Amino acid sequence: MHTHSNSRAISQATQACRTAIDRLIHIVKLCPDIAPEAFNLAVQHIHQSRDPSLYQTLITEYEHLAENPAIKDGPYSLPNPLEIAQLDSKWVDEVTARNQSEKVKLEVELKTYTNNMIKESIRMAHRDLAEFYRSVGEYQQSLRHHTKSREFCATSQHVLDMCLSVLELLIEQRNYSHLSTYVFKAEAALDATAAATSSGNSGGGTGTTPTSTVGPSAAGGGGSNSKKKAPTEKEIVQSRLELASALSHLGQGNYEKAAQSFLRVGAAKELGDWIGKLITPSDIAIYTTLCALAAMSRSAIKAQLLDNAVFGLYIEQEPYIRELLEAYINSNFKTALELLSKYSTRHYIDVHLSQHVSELMNKIKNSAVVLYFQPFASIKLDRMAEAFGWTVDMVEQHVVTLIQSGEIQGRVDSQNKVLYAKKTDYRGDLFARTMQAGNDIISANRKVLLRMRLQQADLIVKLPKGHSQQYGMVPDYYPE
């Protein structure tokens, strides 16, 4: 059991470092201006990890950036990566040998427990092997051992711990499509665990609360922290599942669902060691805000983001977020768009957000234009250009696109540069709806009269016994 604890502690200590390396490699891919600095920091973090192969990945991305014609032929060329930082060959040999030694030891333990048919020890051996493979970057092997451990789970708490470990792995891989599957499994296991704990407590207090591996914050604090209410284990797990669901929706482009799931995430302390290891409070503030601006109404944004005490704690991590939300709520769209442009680099270099920044920006701009035009019957495009900080041609192009997509009901006078709202004939629309309702009533009455005549003539085929039909319902196949 001591070996299990040591292996797991070492593995957990390397995960935050792994996330930092992945983010630095992502910066190297996208930002030539700071690529050398990011390269140097990444090498420092790699020396603290257990996966020397990350250096080759880093070198490949750096060289790919350096070979880009825009960089290669530009005024500023990237320095040779070997001049920036190199791996210590002695460290590589030591880590490789240590990894191989631990791998052999863990595989021998698994084989021994399997031969002795010790179910709990087999589960823990699979778990430790999964964590080991995760720490050295072999994600497929890690996932295989996690799923294999499911066969030896004796309680729903074991299943829950397995699902949470797999979710961490999938988030690191950015495998968004599979997150929802394990969120569903984890929710079922969480309900079963809560039910088992409740029934144990109600049965005379003999039941015990299962031990979980959700992180150090699961336990209540002592000393000076005892006065503060620590989050329960269920709250911690539920917040993590909401975060995993939110990342899944974000990764698949479901921005409204992503925003709602992010808003259901509790305070940062409820995420336990996922904060720092997988995500930061700043990330949550940015993801939630951009998704909400792209997919939610202004009233919902004000009520669920600005007036939300829990989310307010996340906003404090990124002060410009509050300024952005207030500008959008108050229709100061020029200020809002300037803030989005100012911090666009922060958004583009984020590993989870970078692929969605362009689409999110387009949706936010579209929503802002629609909101601005709503009160007007007509408006000059130069006035809109002033309000958004765009040129008249940009405004016209944007408005035409929105008209073609149906988001704005109107037309553009290109000669005079005026946008007119489509005039709705409310009286004609009322008459049309009235005529349609009358026709529907006439059609229904004809069907009822036809059925009455058929019944009088004994031409109705009775349903077999055991079948019933609601009174007054007429089959669709009767002619009118």
Side-chain angles (χ1 to χ4, degrees):
M1 298 299 287
H2 181 68
T3 302
H4 290 306
S5 300
N6 285 342
S7 175
R8 188 168 182 81
I10 293 172
S11 177
Q12 288 180 341
T14 63
Q15 296 313 311
C17 182
R18 179 86 188 198
T19 300
I21 295 169
D22 287 342
R23 294 190 176 223
L24 287 168
I25 291 175
H26 187 73
I27 291 173
V28 168
K29 290 169 59 178
L30 298 178
C31 300
D33 291 343
I34 58 174
E37 183 180 352
F39 184 95
N40 187 30
L41 286 173
V43 172
Q44 294 177 25
H45 282 289
I46 289 173
H47 277 102
Q48 300 171 16
S49 73
R50 304 179 63 182
D51 186 7
S53 66
L54 285 169
Y55 183 73
Q56 186 57 48
T57 304
L58 177 63
I59 284 283
T60 301
E61 295 295 345
Y62 187 89
E63 290 178 345
H64 182 72
L65 177 67
E67 291 298 323
N68 188 318
I71 304 298
K72 190 174 183 180
D73 302 332
Y76 176 75
S77 59
L78 294 175
N80 190 313
L82 299 180
E83 297 176 358
I84 302 173
Q86 298 184 43
L87 278 190
D88 183 351
S89 57
K90 182 180 178 181
W91 172 84
V92 173
D93 294 337
E94 290 177 354
V95 168
T96 303
R98 188 163 63 247
N99 288 346
Q100 182 62 27
S101 174
E102 184 172 349
K103 176 183 175 182
V104 171
K105 181 179 66 175
L106 292 172
E107 288 178 344
V108 169
E109 287 182 356
L110 174 60
K111 186 175 181 180
T112 302
Y113 295 142
T114 303
N115 291 336
N116 295 336
M117 296 299 292
I118 307 174
K119 190 172 182 179
E120 174 63 8
S121 295
I122 294 173
R123 182 188 72 83
M124 295 179 70
H126 276 297
R127 182 199 66 185
D128 290 342
L129 267 170
E131 294 296 337
F132 166 77
Y133 280 121
R134 177 184 170 191
S135 67
V136 299
E138 297 185 31
Y139 288 125
Q140 293 302 320
Q141 287 289 342
S142 177
L143 183 59
R144 186 175 73 84
H145 280 285
H146 273 309
T147 53
K148 190 70 176 176
S149 69
R150 173 68 180 85
E151 302 174 14
F152 304 94
C153 292
T155 67
S156 54
Q157 183 65 53
H158 293 162
V159 177
L160 179 59
D161 292 341
M162 182 275 294
C163 289
L164 290 173
S165 296
V166 172
L167 286 173
E168 289 186 32
L169 183 65
L170 294 175
I171 291 173
E172 282 186 2
Q173 287 184 283
R174 298 188 284 281
N175 188 346
Y176 304 111
S177 59
H178 286 78
L179 281 171
S180 57
T181 301
Y182 283 92
V183 168
F184 178 78
K185 292 179 179 180
E187 287 175 342
L190 179 62
D191 292 339
T193 301
T197 304
S198 176
S199 62
N201 292 336
S202 63
T206 58
T208 59
T209 302
T211 302
S212 175
T213 59
V214 295
S217 62
S224 60
N225 294 330
S226 60
K227 295 181 180 179
K228 297 180 180 180
K229 183 180 178 182
T232 65
E233 181 179 327
K234 185 173 182 180
E235 290 173 340
I236 293 172
V237 174
Q238 194 62 52
S239 288
R240 292 183 174 188
L241 297 184
E242 293 293 353
L243 176 61
S245 294
L247 290 174
S248 175
H249 291 312
L250 173 61
Q252 298 178 81
N254 298 323
Y255 302 126
E256 184 174 5
K257 291 182 179 179
Q260 295 294 345
S261 294
F262 277 124
L263 288 168
R264 288 195 292 268
V265 174
K269 63 181 179 181
E270 294 183 12
L271 291 171
D273 60 354
W274 278 27
I275 291 292
K277 184 165 74 172
L278 296 177
I279 201 167
T280 66
S282 297
D283 294 336
I284 295 176
I286 293 171
Y287 300 164
T288 309
T289 300
L290 294 184
C291 290
L293 291 176
M296 295 171 63
S297 65
R298 274 197 295 191
S299 58
I301 292 172
K302 186 178 188 304
Q304 298 183 42
L305 276 73
L306 280 176
D307 298 340
N308 187 330
V310 174
F311 186 68
L313 298 175
Y314 289 107
I315 292 179
E316 291 176 1
Q317 305 296 321
E318 291 286 347
Y320 81 93
I321 290 295
R322 183 175 296 279
E323 187 179 353
L324 171 61
L325 289 171
E326 289 177 347
Y328 188 86
I329 294 297
N330 296 324
S331 297
N332 297 326
F333 297 122
K334 183 177 180 179
T335 301
L337 294 178
E338 286 175 350
L339 285 169
L340 288 171
S341 177
K342 180 179 178 180
Y343 293 94
S344 60
T345 302
R346 164 68 176 87
H347 304 156
Y348 273 107
I349 64 174
D350 188 277
V351 290
H352 297 294
L353 194 61
S354 60
Q355 296 181 350
H356 304 277
V357 173
S358 297
E359 186 176 357
L360 284 168
M361 286 294 295
N362 285 334
K363 287 182 175 292
I364 293 171
K365 289 177 182 178
N366 292 345
S367 176
V369 172
V370 171
L371 287 171
Y372 185 84
F373 179 63
Q374 272 182 349
F376 297 100
S378 65
I379 186 172
K380 291 184 177 181
L381 296 184
D382 57 356
R383 182 176 173 184
M384 292 185 69
E386 183 180 352
F388 286 92
W390 298 340
T391 64
V392 174
D393 290 338
M394 289 174 61
V395 172
E396 183 175 359
Q397 182 181 1
H398 216 89
V399 168
V400 168
T401 302
L402 291 173
I403 291 173
Q404 290 173 342
S405 64
E407 294 183 60
I408 288 182
Q409 301 296 321
R411 61 184 179 85
V412 175
D413 183 346
S414 297
Q415 183 175 359
N416 297 316
K417 301 298 182 182
V418 179
L419 172 60
Y420 294 97
K422 182 180 179 181
K423 295 181 179 179
T424 304
D425 186 357
Y426 294 104
R427 179 169 178 169
D429 186 45
L430 175 61
F431 276 117
R433 292 202 306 270
T434 304
M435 292 295 293
Q436 182 61 43
N439 292 333
D440 292 342
I441 293 172
I442 292 172
S443 177
N445 288 340
R446 285 178 178 174
K447 292 180 180 180
V448 172
L449 290 173
L450 175 60
R451 180 171 179 79
M452 291 173 59
R453 291 171 183 167
L454 291 172
Q455 286 178 331
Q456 290 174 356
D458 291 330
L459 295 176
I460 297 295
V461 177
K462 295 182 180 180
L463 291 172
K465 290 184 179 180
H467 293 73
S468 62
Q469 181 175 318
Q470 293 183 4
Y471 179 76
M473 296 297 292
V474 182
D476 293 337
Y477 51 79
Y478 287 131
E480 295 187 12

